[in-house]
Amino acid sequence: MSIKVTDGLFRLETAETSYVFRVNEMGHLEQIHYGRKLPEGDIESLRHKHELTHGSAVLYDEEKDSSYCLEEIPLEWSGVGKGDFRVTPIEVKLPDNSFTCDFVFENYSLQSGAPAMHTLPSAAGNGAETLVVTLKDKAFSVYADLYYSVYEAENVITRRCVLRSDEEETVLIKKIMSYSIDLPDRNYTVITLSGGWISEANTIERRLETGMLVNESTSFSQHRNNPAVALVANGATEETGDVYGFNLIYGGNHQTSVELSPVGLVRVTGGLNPYCFLWELHKGESFETPEAVLTYSMNGKNGMSQNFHAFVQNQVVRGEWQKKERPILINNWEANFFQFRQNSLLRLAKRGKRLGCELFVLDDGWFGDRNTDTAGLGDYAVNRKKLPDGLEGLSQRINRCGMKFGLWFEPENVNDNSNLYRAHPEWAIQRPNRKASLGRHQKMLNLTMPEVRDYIVENVTQILDHCSISYVKWDMNRKVSDFEDGTFLHRYMIGYYDVLSRIFRERPWILLEGCASGGGRFDLGHLCFAQQIWASDDTDPVERLKIQGGLSLFYPISTMGAHLSMAPHQQTLRDTPLFTRFAVAAFGAFGLELDPSDLKPVERKTVASLLEQYRKIRKTCQFGRFSRIETGNRNIVQWQAQDEEKTVILRVKTMVPAAQRNDYLTVTGLKPDALYHLKEIGNPLFLHRFGGLMKHILPIKLKPNGFILRTVDKYMKMDDFAESYTASGAQLMAGIRLHRSFIGTGFSDKMHMQGDYSAILIEIAEEK
Ligand code: GLA
């Protein structure tokens, strides 16, 4: 049993954490402990003490207790107007026209599993146990059911609130969060993932001082602020120390507030963003909030990430691809944009196949008049000029090449210049009295309307069921505007989940990749349907280290779409080595985003060989236990993935100094006494990287950019020095002194000849 209830004391136990609260003398839910696992026993040392109060305090019930002040008590839920002035999880206008509310314990129930939600996606509940604590407002028949589902193996507790009313008069919900919790102050740094288009998921660290930090989104999209938040206790590192993580299974407008109160309590409350929100709750109705995911680890940020990764893989992601290695795909977007024909696509697919790709994805531009992004969106009839044999013909031919076929859709939006908009302007989200504001030349369809949802479901499924489609990329390229209010935005999300559920729950064989102008929708709500999400339109690997590294705090590697593209990069003009582009994307749901015919012959051969090697480490990279390794050098990023069979290490040097110092490689998690073989995956050296330096090592005089060297560079490469050792786990974990890197004094075949943005990939396997 992971939930124990005795005399008003609730203990929620996971493998490594304990979450304890009680019903106190006033009937409030008092938080006792959330953190490392504790043996059962007396809670006296943990309980909040309040013999005296602060001078300016409002006393809850002076007659009963002259020192009981809600402001000072660690709580599991709170209200308004009774002396708790911290950020509140609930603001409701009750029948007395007042926002004053006071929720006290009514009863509780236990159940195995986790009850599914009616309107929103939620975690699967495999192996979970659920506690529902019902609180009732003291003056009105308004109830808050607090759901706690305990996922023992994953060290996760999910929380949500269902608000119910038995009042004749309508109750107005202005704000209702999924959870609220008060923790002792530990000098926290708050981590959020913030950014924008092609700059998603920057890890922002802010010291929590007295006052409040708010992480929120008002535009659905999480480009700006992902819903995930971490609290890192003072001194915690990647490997050690106390870290709390919070996330939401919701892709709409979200808000998480972290408030350090003057008495040293940290309140975290998260859920639906109250922005423009007003929901009417009538007698007999209930309102359910999104499910929130809470975790704690005493093993640093990596410990928190590993809890989240296991939870997402076991309880959030679904379908036949849940735990399957992702196919290596080739996507035609950066190769073609809107300019393609059936034959050019087939050529591209064949070239991809020759390199080792397993899935061909046809991106935007295949339907209606969609030859630019100003027309055709909404009309999902295939463009016969481009694809004379239709999608059926194209998908069959792709299949005959030995590849699976995938297709791009953007069903939530419409161009004014489309048949759909001409027929149904009333289906678009716009105000009757204002000129609509466009985003990427398009309007959003109103998914709160059943007929709009039916149109999308019919059109998409008609295509999915008549062609051989194994993969869908579901895009969404604008932020919302011209909406009614915040409740409309929430109803939109409910409609959106209905559409996804009707299409994809019945087709579990389809691999769904979410996308929103890159990583604008990276959240657990989408991951309940999509097994992976395109992490960013920025495919520069140096940028991707930040993006994928940031996302890795909360989301597993298997969920991050990551592609090898051409350099100089479309987004940064940075020229990065081919191997680095490969190696960083290898820690993701890997694909190619290029036309192989734009590569030199030697580069094509190299990519083919790298993909062959990738297939052997793919499972470990995507599903292994992932850690970010601290190397102490700001210019080095090191990641590690590990399963029973292998350890794979990626190490990227972003900037190299002249006179490079000794290099050490840190390895963790091996069995000390076992014998391992470590080898570096071959790293190509292309001649053009050395420019004019070539002439210093060539036996004969050749012009660096002359015909001969250009021709050699097209067809030949050298191999960089590759590390290789056989040693015990203990020895490898003691740190490996790597061979030297280039320091400008010449060339040796025992040294690494890599400069800025260079990567090494290392594979370690136990010797059997
Ligand atoms: C968005 C996506 C891209 C691509 C284009 C197509 O920008 O992020 O990957 O699909 O749309 O229009």
Coordinates of all heavy atoms in Angstrom, one line a residue, residues 344-373:
S344 N 10.3 14.2 -57.5 CA 11.4 14.7 -56.7 C 11.3 14.1 -55.3 O 12.3 13.8 -54.7 CB 11.4 16.2 -56.7 OG 10.2 16.7 -56.1
L345 N 10.1 13.9 -54.8 CA 9.9 13.3 -53.5 C 10.4 11.9 -53.5 O 11.1 11.4 -52.6 CB 8.4 13.3 -53.1 CG 7.8 14.7 -52.8 CD1 6.3 14.5 -52.4 CD2 8.6 15.4 -51.7
L346 N 10.1 11.1 -54.6 CA 10.5 9.8 -54.7 C 12.1 9.7 -54.7 O 12.7 8.8 -54.1 CB 9.9 9.0 -55.9 CG 8.4 8.7 -55.7 CD1 7.8 8.2 -57.0 CD2 8.3 7.7 -54.6
R347 N 12.7 10.6 -55.4 CA 14.1 10.6 -55.5 C 14.7 10.9 -54.1 O 15.6 10.2 -53.6 CB 14.6 11.7 -56.5 CG 14.6 11.2 -57.9 CD 15.4 12.1 -58.8 NE 15.0 13.5 -58.8 CZ 14.0 14.0 -59.6 NH1 13.4 13.2 -60.5 NH2 13.7 15.3 -59.6
L348 N 14.1 11.9 -53.4 CA 14.5 12.2 -52.1 C 14.4 11.0 -51.1 O 15.3 10.7 -50.4 CB 13.7 13.4 -51.5 CG 14.1 13.9 -50.2 CD1 15.5 14.5 -50.2 CD2 13.1 15.0 -49.7
A349 N 13.3 10.3 -51.2 CA 13.0 9.1 -50.4 C 14.1 8.1 -50.7 O 14.7 7.5 -49.7 CB 11.6 8.6 -50.6
K350 N 14.4 7.8 -51.9 CA 15.3 6.8 -52.3 C 16.7 7.1 -51.7 O 17.5 6.3 -51.2 CB 15.4 6.6 -53.8 CG 14.2 5.7 -54.3 CD 14.3 5.5 -55.8 CE 13.0 4.9 -56.2 NZ 12.6 5.2 -57.6
R351 N 17.1 8.4 -51.9 CA 18.4 8.9 -51.3 C 18.4 8.6 -49.8 O 19.4 8.2 -49.3 CB 18.6 10.3 -51.7 CG 18.9 10.6 -53.1 CD 19.2 12.0 -53.3 NE 19.0 12.4 -54.7 CZ 18.1 13.3 -55.1 NH1 17.5 14.1 -54.2 NH2 18.0 13.6 -56.4
G352 N 17.3 9.0 -49.2 CA 17.2 8.8 -47.7 C 17.4 7.3 -47.4 O 18.1 6.9 -46.4
K353 N 16.7 6.5 -48.1 CA 16.7 5.0 -47.9 C 18.2 4.5 -48.0 O 18.7 3.7 -47.2 CB 15.8 4.4 -48.9 CG 15.9 2.9 -49.0 CD 15.3 2.2 -47.7 CE 15.6 0.8 -47.7 NZ 15.3 0.2 -46.4
R354 N 18.9 5.0 -49.1 CA 20.3 4.6 -49.2 C 21.1 5.0 -48.0 O 22.1 4.3 -47.7 CB 20.9 5.2 -50.5 CG 20.5 4.4 -51.8 CD 21.4 4.7 -52.9 NE 21.2 6.0 -53.5 CZ 20.3 6.3 -54.4 NH1 19.5 5.4 -54.9 NH2 20.2 7.6 -54.8
L355 N 20.8 6.1 -47.4 CA 21.6 6.4 -46.2 C 21.2 5.7 -44.9 O 21.9 5.8 -43.9 CB 21.4 7.9 -45.9 CG 21.9 8.9 -47.0 CD1 22.0 10.3 -46.5 CD2 23.3 8.5 -47.5
G356 N 20.0 5.0 -45.0 CA 19.6 4.2 -43.8 C 18.3 4.7 -43.2 O 18.0 4.3 -42.1
C357 N 17.6 5.7 -43.8 CA 16.4 6.2 -43.2 C 15.3 5.1 -43.4 O 15.3 4.3 -44.3 CB 15.9 7.5 -44.0 SG 17.1 8.8 -43.7
E358 N 14.4 5.2 -42.4 CA 13.3 4.1 -42.3 C 11.9 4.7 -42.6 O 11.0 3.9 -42.8 CB 13.4 3.5 -40.9 CG 14.7 2.8 -40.6 CD 15.1 2.8 -39.2 OE1 14.6 3.5 -38.3 OE2 16.0 1.9 -38.8
L359 N 11.8 6.0 -42.6 CA 10.5 6.7 -42.7 C 10.7 7.9 -43.5 O 11.6 8.7 -43.2 CB 10.0 7.0 -41.3 CG 8.9 8.0 -41.1 CD1 7.5 7.3 -41.6 CD2 8.7 8.4 -39.6
F360 N 9.8 8.1 -44.5 CA 9.8 9.3 -45.3 C 8.7 10.2 -44.8 O 7.5 9.8 -44.8 CB 9.7 9.0 -46.8 CG 9.7 10.2 -47.6 CD1 10.8 10.9 -47.9 CD2 8.5 10.8 -48.1 CE1 10.8 12.1 -48.7 CE2 8.4 11.9 -48.8 CZ 9.6 12.6 -49.1
V361 N 8.9 11.5 -44.5 CA 7.9 12.4 -44.1 C 7.7 13.5 -45.1 O 8.6 14.2 -45.4 CB 8.2 13.0 -42.7 CG1 7.1 13.9 -42.3 CG2 8.3 11.9 -41.6
L362 N 6.5 13.6 -45.6 CA 6.1 14.6 -46.5 C 5.5 15.8 -45.7 O 4.5 15.6 -45.0 CB 5.1 14.1 -47.5 CG 4.4 15.2 -48.4 CD1 5.5 16.0 -49.2 CD2 3.5 14.5 -49.5
D363 N 6.2 16.9 -45.7 CA 5.8 18.0 -44.8 C 4.8 18.9 -45.6 O 4.0 18.4 -46.5 CB 7.0 18.8 -44.4 CG 6.9 19.5 -43.1 OD1 6.3 20.5 -43.0 OD2 7.5 18.9 -42.1
D364 N 4.7 20.1 -45.2 CA 3.7 21.1 -45.7 C 3.7 21.2 -47.2 O 4.8 20.9 -47.9 CB 4.1 22.5 -45.1 CG 3.0 23.4 -45.2 OD1 1.9 23.1 -45.8 OD2 3.1 24.5 -44.6
G365 N 2.6 21.5 -47.8 CA 2.5 21.9 -49.2 C 1.9 20.8 -50.1 O 1.9 20.9 -51.4
W366 N 1.3 19.7 -49.6 CA 0.8 18.6 -50.4 C -0.7 18.7 -50.8 O -1.2 17.9 -51.6 CB 1.1 17.3 -49.8 CG 0.5 17.1 -48.4 CD1 1.1 17.4 -47.2 CD2 -0.8 16.7 -48.1 NE1 0.3 17.1 -46.2 CE2 -0.9 16.7 -46.6 CE3 -2.0 16.3 -48.8 CZ2 -2.1 16.3 -46.0 CZ3 -3.1 15.9 -48.1 CH2 -3.2 16.0 -46.7
F367 N -1.4 19.7 -50.3 CA -2.8 19.8 -50.5 C -3.3 21.2 -51.0 O -2.5 22.1 -51.0 CB -3.5 19.5 -49.2 CG -3.0 20.3 -48.1 CD1 -3.5 21.6 -47.9 CD2 -2.1 19.8 -47.2 CE1 -3.0 22.4 -46.9 CE2 -1.5 20.6 -46.2 CZ -2.0 21.9 -46.0
G368 N -4.5 21.2 -51.6 CA -5.1 22.4 -52.0 C -4.2 23.3 -52.8 O -3.4 22.8 -53.6
D369 N -4.3 24.6 -52.6 CA -3.4 25.6 -53.2 C -2.3 26.0 -52.3 O -1.8 27.1 -52.3 CB -4.2 26.9 -53.6 CG -5.1 26.7 -54.8 OD1 -4.8 25.8 -55.6 OD2 -6.1 27.3 -54.9
R370 N -1.8 25.1 -51.6 CA -0.8 25.3 -50.6 C 0.6 25.4 -51.3 O 1.4 24.4 -51.1 CB -0.9 24.3 -49.5 CG 0.0 24.5 -48.3 CD -0.6 25.4 -47.3 NE 0.2 25.5 -46.1 CZ 0.3 26.5 -45.4 NH1 -0.5 27.6 -45.6 NH2 1.1 26.6 -44.3
N371 N 0.9 26.4 -52.0 CA 2.2 26.6 -52.6 C 3.0 27.6 -51.9 O 4.2 27.8 -52.2 CB 2.1 26.9 -54.1 CG 1.4 25.8 -54.8 OD1 1.7 24.6 -54.6 ND2 0.3 26.1 -55.6
T372 N 2.4 28.3 -51.0 CA 3.1 29.3 -50.1 C 2.3 29.1 -48.8 O 1.2 28.5 -48.8 CB 3.0 30.7 -50.6 OG1 1.6 31.1 -50.5 CG2 3.5 30.9 -52.0
D373 N 2.7 29.8 -47.8 CA 1.9 29.7 -46.5 C 0.8 30.7 -46.5 O 0.1 30.9 -45.4 CB 2.8 29.8 -45.3 CG 3.6 31.1 -45.2 OD1 3.3 32.0 -46.0 OD2 4.5 31.2 -44.4

